[in-house]
Amino acid sequence: MVEVTRRDVLARTAVLGGAAAALTVPASASPAVAAPPSTPGPVTVGPGDPRYRSLTHRGRNARFSGSPDLVVVAASAEQVTAAVQQAVDQGRRLAVRSGGHCFEDFVDGPDVRLLIDLSPMTAVAYDARRRAFAVEPGGSLGSVYKSLFLGWGVALPAGATAEVGVGGHILGGGYGALSRRHGLAVDHLYGVEVVVVDARGKARRVVATREPDDPNRELWWAHTGGGGGNFGVVTRYWFRSPDAGGSDPSRLLPRAPEAVTGFTVSWPWKGLDRRSFTRLVRNHGEWHERNSAPGTRSAGLFSVLMLNTRRSEAAAYLSGQVDSTGPDARRLVDAYVAALGRGVGVEPVVTREELPWLQAAAAVQESAPAAFKVKAGYLRRRFTDRQIDVLHDRLAAESAGGLDGTVWLVSYGGRVNAVAPEATAVAQRDSVLKALFVTGWKAPREDAAPRLRWVRDLYRAVYADSGGVPAPGDVSDGSFVNYPDTDLADPALNTSGTPWHALYYKRHYPRLQRVKARWDPREVFRHALSVRPPR
């Protein structure tokens, strides 16, 4: 069980996250919440400075470490604007870091010459003029949860890992333990303040909101799931639920639960053969098919089922929570565990624990950076029996016994699926699960090649019927942009005929391209999977 716990922490750190000269701002674009007068900086750090290594090795994926010429530690929107202008004027390729949980090398790539670090920008405040909560991008989800809960008793239905930075997490959609009950974080996004660069190479700040008459509304829409590093640098988010009325801040976002019931369930490899493994994974998928409609009684239940290689004693490890306590929560957990175990024939080990909500939501479980690779897919329905057979064979194989490998099946749906696909840039609005294929290793002591080969082969085998990727269809619906995977753009690994951008954005991609053409015509903000302007 030690291996399961270590992997759980490592993978949570990596996964249930994710990220992207002074200027006089016109009055119409001025932020409502000004930076405090004591704002320090900016701090500019280069090679040779004792701070340089800490800043360039802050990313959670140890596969990548950057070597930019400069790191600008920005503490205000004005400083971000100046840093962007500097990069443009000097012709330096730039990237932006918030929490540091990007899966690929979009921030730490060898071509990045100027890195903007947003970690000092952590303010959370209520903006009375906009009737919305203003959140800066450098804070962690846990710190934002704490500020919103202690200040106003409200919550944002965002990620389940407290250490993940707000900046990139929101841009990809943002989901977590409260999303089945309240939707995605971007379903509550009212506005953004963004540093953009125009065709003349001038950096400026722009505010875009969801108001129907806002001339910048398309820029807001692009930030409701368009992904980080595409259109500019977000220096402030504003959150207010779309159906919220009045000016009482405590009623403008979902109320946080008082407490939660956490639970774990473990099924050991011993006694779990192909038949029982198949039954367990089938039961889990079918439960989510039945219990993921908007408003379902089980909307408050969120879990992650981890299917592991034989390096772990547990073939399957379930970790979850219900957003309430008491007899009803315990009955819901018991019914869920019973449904998953029906016909499996292996007695699991079950634990339950009631926790105050803030303790559960904001607990930091950060570990040291580790090398990993993640691949992902949306599931409209459970995996087919053929796909489950592949999972069993690859996870149970003796050849995989020495590898840290796991497949996660994460609860989804509920209120997420009540929102029309066109309302935000998140196109996938009828899925019930997300699947993640994860491997990790201790770099440089352990060799990356066999781990990368294993997870890529597993992924291609699971999706063999659709060209090696989760192409939209009856079972799958593409992949999640906050889990970027450059393999999807490799024609040797994606033979589906569905381009990478259709896997992430589906029919939204042309609309995102038009936003790109207007707001980033020089392609200042780019990476391996960034939105390209129309040609």
Side-chain angles (χ1 to χ4, degrees):
M1 294 306 296
V2 173
E3 276 296 321
V4 173
T5 303
R6 188 180 71 78
R7 182 181 296 109
D8 189 14
V9 172
L10 183 151
R12 278 174 57 89
T13 299
V15 175
L16 289 180
L23 180 70
T24 300
V25 184
S28 61
S30 296
V33 182
S38 60
T39 299
V43 175
T44 300
V45 172
D49 189 298
R51 296 166 290 185
Y52 182 80
R53 181 173 174 83
S54 293
L55 290 167
T56 56
H57 288 68
R58 197 164 69 81
R60 306 309 305 167
N61 194 344
R63 286 178 66 198
F64 313 111
S65 60
S67 56
D69 302 326
L70 299 171
V71 181
V72 178
V73 184
S76 69
E78 292 84 358
Q79 293 175 16
V80 172
T81 306
V84 171
Q85 190 67 64
Q86 178 183 358
V88 173
D89 292 345
Q90 297 176 354
R92 298 181 192 269
R93 166 88 163 78
L94 71 84
V96 183
R97 173 145 41 223
S98 172
H101 288 78
C102 185
F103 289 0
E104 294 286 0
D105 68 347
F106 300 167
V107 176
D108 291 312
D111 58 338
V112 173
R113 307 313 330 145
L114 190 152
L115 174 62
I116 302 175
D117 189 301
L118 303 178
S119 57
M121 299 181 64
T122 60
V124 177
Y126 177 64
D127 182 344
R129 182 164 72 87
R130 288 193 168 90
R131 294 192 306 111
F133 294 95
V135 176
E136 289 187 330
S140 67
L141 292 175
S143 66
V144 172
Y145 295 159
K146 184 176 182 179
S147 295
L148 292 175
F149 181 68
L150 296 182
W152 301 276
V154 298
L156 190 65
T161 302
E163 311 87 68
V164 169
V166 175
H169 177 77
I170 299 299
L171 295 176
Y175 81 102
L178 295 179
S179 291
R180 281 167 51 85
R181 175 83 72 191
H182 298 295
L184 302 176
V186 293
D187 297 339
H188 302 266
L189 182 64
Y190 174 76
V192 288
E193 178 186 68
V194 193
V195 176
V196 297
V197 179
D198 64 22
R200 298 170 300 157
K202 188 67 173 177
R204 63 191 178 100
R205 282 181 288 155
V206 175
V207 171
T209 72
R210 68 177 179 230
E211 295 295 341
D213 59 350
D214 188 334
N216 301 331
R217 191 177 191 276
E218 282 295 279
L219 184 62
W220 162 82
W221 179 86
H223 286 85
T224 63
N230 279 315
F231 311 103
V233 184
V234 174
T235 52
R236 186 171 286 109
Y237 296 101
W238 284 274
F239 294 99
R240 179 185 1 118
S241 297
D243 56 351
S247 57
D248 180 353
S250 68
R251 298 179 180 273
L252 299 182
L253 280 176
R255 297 292 294 175
E258 179 181 351
V260 301
T261 299
F263 59 93
T264 66
V265 189
S266 179
W267 291 267
W269 271 112
K270 185 177 180 180
L272 200 72
D273 58 14
R274 177 193 292 271
R275 183 205 63 80
S276 53
F277 179 95
T278 298
R279 186 64 182 263
L280 173 61
V281 179
R282 184 190 296 159
N283 288 347
H284 177 266
E286 290 176 348
W287 186 93
H288 282 83
E289 290 176 0
R290 296 190 304 269
N291 293 279
S292 296
T296 177
R297 175 178 171 272
S298 303
L301 189 150
F302 173 86
S303 72
V304 181
L305 178 64
M306 291 166 266
L307 307 172
N308 306 307
T309 63
R310 287 191 180 272
R311 185 165 183 173
S312 168
E313 292 178 10
Y317 183 79
L318 184 76
S319 177
Q321 70 174 56
V322 176
D323 60 0
S324 61
T325 58
D328 287 345
R330 289 193 291 273
R331 279 194 290 268
L332 181 57
V333 171
D334 291 346
Y336 180 52
V337 174
L340 268 56
R342 191 166 294 120
V344 172
V346 176
E347 190 68 24
V349 177
V350 182
T351 70
R352 300 174 187 79
E353 182 180 18
E354 293 187 359
L355 293 170
W357 178 78
L358 187 61
Q359 182 178 338
V364 174
Q365 302 184 39
E366 193 74 283
S367 60
F372 62 86
K373 173 67 177 178
V374 178
K375 304 172 75 64
Y378 283 97
L379 283 168
R380 284 173 159 157
R381 298 171 51 195
R382 70 169 178 87
F383 279 133
T384 66
D385 287 351
R386 184 201 68 79
Q387 291 174 311
I388 298 174
D389 283 345
V390 170
L391 292 176
H392 174 268
D393 291 348
R394 300 302 176 100
L395 292 168
E398 293 298 329
S399 59
L403 301 178
D404 268 329
T406 182
V407 176
W408 285 25
L409 296 173
V410 185
S411 296
Y412 203 61
R415 183 68 184 173
V416 173
N417 294 347
V419 178
E422 294 77 17
T424 70
V426 177
Q428 293 86 355
R429 291 288 185 167
D430 62 1
S431 294
V432 300
L433 289 164
K434 287 188 182 182
L436 295 89
F437 303 74
V438 185
T439 188
W441 60 95
K442 297 186 181 79
R445 182 164 59 85
E446 294 181 324
D447 186 7
R451 278 90 180 165
L452 292 172
R453 183 167 55 252
W454 177 83
V455 76
R456 285 168 173 156
D457 288 348
L458 169 62
Y459 192 76
R460 281 187 291 176
V462 168
Y463 296 111
D465 296 334
S466 53
V469 299
D474 291 339
V475 174
S476 298
D477 200 21
S479 193
F480 180 39
V481 70
N482 262 8
Y483 301 156
D485 176 11
T486 56
D487 291 351
L488 298 182
D490 185 340
L493 300 176
N494 176 4
T495 60
S496 67
T498 303
W500 67 265
H501 53 76
L503 293 170
Y504 288 123
Y505 302 118
K506 300 176 68 176
R507 63 177 179 270
H508 289 344
Y509 190 64
R511 185 175 174 183
L512 290 167
Q513 288 183 292
R514 293 191 292 272
V515 177
K516 179 76 168 181
R518 178 180 176 189
W519 293 104
D520 185 25
R522 299 165 64 100
E523 291 193 82
V524 171
F525 306 98
R526 64 188 186 275
H527 51 73
L529 296 178
S530 59
V531 173
R532 315 295 201 264
R535 300 299 185 188

